[in-house]
Amino acid sequence: TAEYLISPEIMLKWKQKFFDPIINAYVKNHIDHKIKSILINSAWYVISKPGDYNPCHTHTEYVHGNYHLSCVGYLQIPKMISTTNAKEHNDFSGQTEFIEGSENMFNNNSYRVMPEVRDWILFPNSLSHVVYPYNCIEKNNERISFSFNSTIIFDNDKLSN
């Protein structure tokens, strides 16, 4: 797996045209506060080869009284096949899994996504997640994804309508 930073100039272009509106919609659907500003703290893309994975992790933490969101998007997905030793009923090959809390008979603590090109997922940065390895027939086929971390600063004096 290789990670590369995305330049601030490129991220700023996408932030204004695409990410600001989706972050605003996400916040409006979850809490009733007006956003003062949205900052993109870091942005990068990842090129993965068959067998690569990203172990369970979170992104930056809640700091300075601001709320943080992360995003992952998928730019290129190779035609995948199951990993060699995956169990048929539990084959997570190539999926991204988000994990929160503990599982019991009343609660499923995870959500798995089989990514497709142009999918993007916005989520709280404290949400644990893992990217499972994938296999494909052509061993050099790459999966390319992008990610960013953002800080939301609220206008504490005003509630949204």
Side-chain angles (χ1 to χ4, degrees), residues 4-158:
Y4 303 93
L5 291 178
I6 297 173
S7 74
E9 296 82 16
I10 291 173
M11 196 61 214
L12 185 60
K13 174 186 168 187
W14 285 99
K15 177 188 176 296
Q16 293 168 342
K17 292 181 179 179
F18 185 70
F19 296 116
D20 280 356
I22 64 171
I23 291 171
N24 273 294
Y26 182 94
V27 168
K28 187 173 184 170
N29 285 322
H30 288 84
I31 58 175
D32 191 26
H33 290 291
K34 184 175 168 51
I35 294 176
K36 184 176 183 180
S37 62
I38 299 169
L39 308 171
I40 302 295
N41 303 320
S42 55
W44 64 98
Y45 66 98
V46 177
I47 300 175
S48 301
K49 301 273 189 193
D52 288 349
Y53 67 96
N54 199 343
C56 192
H57 65 284
T58 62
H59 290 215
T60 57
E61 296 181 12
Y62 175 87
V63 291
H64 307 300
N66 296 321
Y67 295 85
H68 300 274
L69 292 174
S70 294
C71 182
V72 61
Y74 303 93
L75 304 173
Q76 179 176 302
I77 305 286
K79 183 169 174 53
M80 292 186 261
I81 58 174
S82 294
T83 52
T84 310
N85 54 0
K87 295 179 181 180
E88 187 176 321
H89 69 281
N90 235 3
D91 185 2
F92 303 161
S93 301
Q95 295 182 31
T96 300
E97 183 173 24
F98 297 90
I99 306 160
E100 176 70 30
S102 60
E103 189 167 334
N104 61 51
M105 65 186 275
F106 302 108
N107 183 46
N108 184 353
N109 72 332
S110 68
Y111 175 71
R112 285 186 299 278
V113 176
M114 178 56 82
E116 294 185 19
V117 172
R118 296 188 183 142
D119 280 353
W120 54 266
I121 302 166
L122 194 61
F123 58 96
N125 68 323
S126 59
L127 187 61
S128 295
H129 53 286
V130 59
V131 180
Y132 291 103
Y134 70 95
N135 280 336
C136 57
I137 295 170
E138 294 187 31
K139 296 299 179 195
N140 290 324
N141 282 355
E142 299 172 328
R143 175 174 54 196
I144 302 175
S145 61
F146 73 89
S147 294
F148 69 77
N149 293 322
S150 63
T151 300
I152 301 169
I153 300 170
F154 292 102
D155 183 349
N156 292 328
D157 297 330
K158 299 178 184 174

